[in-house]
Amino acid sequence: MKVLITGATGLIGTEIAKLCVENGFTVNYLTTNRAKIEENDTYRGFYWNPESQDIDSRCFKDVETIIHLAGATISKRWTPEYKHKILSSRQQSTALLINALKGESHSIKQVVSASAIGIYPDSLSNYYDEGFKATGNSFLSDVVRTWEESVDGFSKVDITVCKIRIGLVLSKHGGALQEMIKPIVYGLGAPFGSGRQWQSWIHIHDLASLFLYVIKYRLTGVYNGVAPNPVTNKELVKAIAKVLRKPILLPGIPRFIMKFILGEMHILLYESQRVSSRKIENKGFYFNYNNLRVALGNLLKE
């Protein structure tokens, strides 16, 4: 099978592309950086520019599935200008793919798109599954809602759609976990606020495997990309410290401090979404890392 991946050089895309190749897939990928274009028997790059709506249409040749991950990172300060970029990058990249396929003969049957659990409202008590209809009122919720609506446009070119609402991704190669480790290593680790907010996490290898599982079984609709056992922020910080054999001595970091430092983006640290993985498990998917301590042990121990 040949797949086309957008965002293939990012944290999640790199893991998915690697697993695709290991499973015998041929990978085409799109990049805005011509210097990152490689070409070999199993991994081949093509140039695109969503802002100018420019794409090398050869990327679609013999492709059966698109894995759509492209979008500006949310882990930068949310200035008005950057908020526009976060939103427009997802709309433009999706529109470019759809428009490039309109009126063209192609072999693409399925698109599997990244989404995020940030679409769910902030709550300490709710337990969200994919059927929950209400959405949050934060900027991030607006982004995810618009993103998913854009991806639904693939159905207009006879391509089935699956969306993976991704939680907190744990990886040894970057992302939130590596940022959380830094203060803990120096004895400055602390939960955020009360630490009662839920963190629905997933090991990056399980996330990549979930994407391939969706492709293999041609699943459609929405699935939560989270492990079966969410934890509170306090539990997460304590678990990281225990694996690293470091104490947690400081009280919770007040919300106003992080709001002063990070601005509106501080909600990423304080909002709570306890999210269910039952739907994908009921489809037969097995999580190798369904226990936080085991996942952290795999990622943090040499």
Side-chain angles (χ1 to χ4, degrees):
M1 177 185 289
K2 181 180 284 190
V3 300
L4 172 65
I5 304 179
T6 73
T9 58
L11 181 70
I12 298 171
T14 299
E15 187 74 16
I16 292 175
K18 175 185 172 187
L19 197 59
C20 281
V21 172
E22 289 175 356
N23 280 268
F25 292 14
T26 301
V27 174
N28 285 358
Y29 67 96
L30 288 163
T31 176
T32 59
N33 186 345
R34 295 184 189 275
K36 290 186 178 181
I37 293 177
E38 301 178 29
E39 185 172 346
N40 57 51
D41 290 341
T42 57
Y43 189 68
R44 184 178 182 187
F46 298 86
Y47 176 77
W48 76 332
N49 186 331
E51 287 189 16
S52 64
Q53 293 289 286
D54 182 27
I55 189 169
D56 184 344
S57 60
R58 294 177 300 167
C59 68
F60 299 120
K61 182 174 171 53
D62 299 328
V63 167
E64 293 183 42
T65 297
I66 297 174
I67 302 173
H68 186 31
L69 310 172
T73 179
I74 61 169
S75 299
K76 284 179 66 175
R77 192 176 183 90
W78 294 354
T79 63
E81 294 78 14
Y82 194 68
K83 286 170 73 172
H84 175 73
K85 183 174 182 180
I86 289 172
L87 187 58
S88 64
S89 64
R90 286 158 173 80
Q91 292 175 306
Q92 291 170 348
S93 62
T94 304
L96 176 52
L97 292 171
I98 294 171
N99 290 335
L101 292 169
K102 282 181 179 177
E104 300 291 332
S105 60
H106 59 80
S107 54
I108 299 164
K109 301 178 178 67
Q110 176 189 39
V111 62
V112 184
S113 176
S115 182
I117 64 169
I119 195 170
Y120 299 117
D122 176 26
S123 173
L124 293 176
S125 58
N126 287 341
Y127 189 34
Y128 296 118
D129 63 20
E130 295 84 349
F132 193 87
K133 298 302 181 185
T135 59
N137 55 12
S138 69
F139 166 68
L140 187 56
S141 294
D142 291 342
V143 169
V144 181
R145 190 164 49 246
T146 303
W147 191 6
E148 291 195 358
E149 290 171 357
S150 298
V151 170
D152 285 338
F154 279 99
S155 60
K156 296 176 181 177
V157 286
D158 297 322
I159 296 173
T160 61
V161 175
C162 186
K163 292 166 280 193
I164 310 297
R165 290 177 176 166
I166 300 171
L168 177 68
V169 180
L170 303 183
S171 169
K172 66 174 65 176
H173 299 299
L177 178 60
Q178 298 309 310
E179 295 304 313
M180 296 180 76
I181 287 170
K182 291 175 184 177
I184 294 173
V185 167
Y186 293 104
L188 300 174
F192 292 104
S194 69
R196 293 172 56 223
Q197 65 270 34
W198 288 99
Q199 311 259 222
S200 297
W201 59 274
I202 187 168
H203 190 293
I204 192 165
H205 181 75
D206 276 343
L207 179 59
S209 298
L210 195 157
F211 268 82
L212 265 67
Y213 192 86
V214 165
I215 292 170
K216 179 179 179 181
Y217 292 101
R218 297 286 185 195
L219 302 183
T220 60
V222 178
Y223 291 89
N224 292 326
V226 296
N229 298 301
V231 296
T232 65
N233 176 257
K234 184 179 289 186
E235 289 170 334
L236 176 59
V237 171
K238 285 184 174 180
I240 295 170
K242 188 161 187 176
V243 172
L244 295 175
R245 298 182 180 177
K246 297 290 182 180
I248 296 294
L249 304 175
L250 299 179
I253 301 171
R255 186 167 186 150
F256 76 88
I257 292 178
M258 297 311 297
K259 185 174 183 179
F260 176 76
I261 294 171
L262 299 176
E264 188 180 351
M265 191 180 79
H266 81 284
I267 68 167
L268 296 175
L269 307 175
Y270 293 89
E271 285 207 334
S272 174
Q273 285 107 5
R274 186 163 61 118
V275 178
S276 170
S277 61
R278 192 170 297 139
K279 183 178 177 181
I280 191 65
E281 291 181 278
N282 288 343
K283 291 292 186 180
F285 181 75
Y286 175 79
F287 288 86
N288 284 295
Y289 300 97
N290 55 20
N291 178 278
L292 178 63
R293 195 69 58 81
V294 174
L296 293 174
N298 171 262
L299 295 168
L300 299 182
K301 288 186 177 178
E302 296 296 333

